[in-house]
Amino acid sequence: MNTFIFDIDGTLLDNVEGYLYGLQKTLLRHGRKVAIHDLTWTNGRAGVDSLKELGFSDAEIPTVHEEWQQDSKAFLTDVSWFPDMQAVLEQLGQQYKLGLVTSKDKPQFLEEDKKYHFSPYFQTVVVAGEAKRNKPFGDPITLARERLGSNLEKTIYIGDTSTDAQAAANANVAFALAGWTTPPSPAVAPRIAVLHQASDLLKLPDLG
């Protein structure tokens, strides 16, 4: 393996629950009381796609999506990188190609980039809407891989959701599960490895 493409939420940052509680609050404003466990399927998906599946119209989605982002901020006050992740990325970046594929839209990513400083670690970033189709399709991963000039056989996608696993399979690249967020299950069956801590990423170049 010489190319590593990463998801953000639940993979690099410990922030998944914040967005779920934000969505729950937004839905309640629109008269829908939904339990958190019934919203976990939205993890890893572009927000606009999730809202469409939740029944909002194309006309409603921009406003509701903005509400979701604002509502989530109250639950994202203590978000941090997972332990040792930045040091591991810096080490990997000295020898290998690193990319980022996220379901965040561009304004969302740019706002978070100012706070968490992703850009120095990655040679390319693909946000929601850049590829023809968002995750769970493999288009964003394929776009990142092509930008990096990498082969299918040498590329691995690292994520924490079934959406990530599906996207990797659709892009015909290997998948490694961020086990610090999501335990292994058939829905997130890795094609290569389950990672338990950030340092496990350093073992991936020898796999495949």
Side-chain angles (χ1 to χ4, degrees):
M1 296 294 172
N2 64 13
T3 301
F4 305 89
I5 303 175
F6 291 81
D7 169 53
I8 294 179
D9 299 334
T11 301
L12 302 180
L13 297 183
D14 188 4
N15 62 350
V16 171
E17 284 192 353
Y19 285 108
L20 293 179
Y21 282 110
L23 177 56
Q24 185 184 50
K25 183 177 178 180
T26 301
L27 292 175
L28 190 60
R29 183 182 299 112
H30 289 269
R32 307 184 192 186
K33 188 174 182 179
V34 185
I36 287 294
H37 63 80
D38 290 327
L39 295 174
T40 56
W41 62 269
T42 65
N43 288 340
R45 301 176 66 91
V48 293
D49 293 341
S50 295
L51 292 175
K52 189 169 186 176
E53 290 195 35
L54 284 165
F56 290 98
S57 69
D58 290 343
E60 293 173 314
I61 284 174
T63 299
V64 178
H65 190 252
E66 179 60 26
E67 290 177 8
W68 181 3
Q69 302 315 310
Q70 294 304 316
D71 287 337
S72 295
K73 289 181 179 181
F75 303 100
L76 295 170
T77 54
D78 297 319
V79 171
S80 62
W81 288 77
F82 282 107
D84 302 321
M85 184 63 68
Q86 290 161 287
V88 168
L89 289 175
E90 186 172 351
Q91 190 171 340
L92 283 173
Q94 293 173 6
Q95 300 181 64
Y96 307 106
K97 302 173 184 178
L98 303 186
L100 198 58
V101 165
T102 176
S103 291
K104 301 177 188 295
D105 60 24
K106 190 170 184 178
Q108 210 180 344
F109 172 76
L110 291 175
E111 181 179 349
E112 290 201 359
D113 195 25
K114 290 179 182 178
K115 187 173 182 179
Y116 301 108
H117 309 294
F118 302 116
S119 294
Y121 301 103
F122 301 98
Q123 295 165 263
T124 192
V125 178
V126 177
V127 299
E130 275 196 86
K132 184 177 180 180
R133 300 171 297 183
N134 297 316
K135 295 186 295 181
F137 294 99
D139 302 29
I141 297 174
T142 298
L143 179 57
R145 179 181 61 77
E146 289 174 345
R147 287 179 179 176
L148 294 168
S150 301
N151 297 325
L152 289 169
E153 298 79 9
K154 296 293 184 179
T155 300
I156 189 165
Y157 186 59
I158 300 98
D160 67 299
T161 67
S162 59
T163 298
D164 293 325
Q166 292 171 44
N170 191 254
N172 292 312
V173 301
F175 176 69
L177 177 66
W180 44 82
T181 294
T182 306
S185 73
V188 288
R191 302 176 69 190
I192 288 291
V194 176
L195 309 172
H196 301 287
Q197 55 195 4
S199 60
D200 288 344
L201 289 161
L202 301 174
K203 304 172 185 177
L204 292 181
D206 299 324
L207 297 177

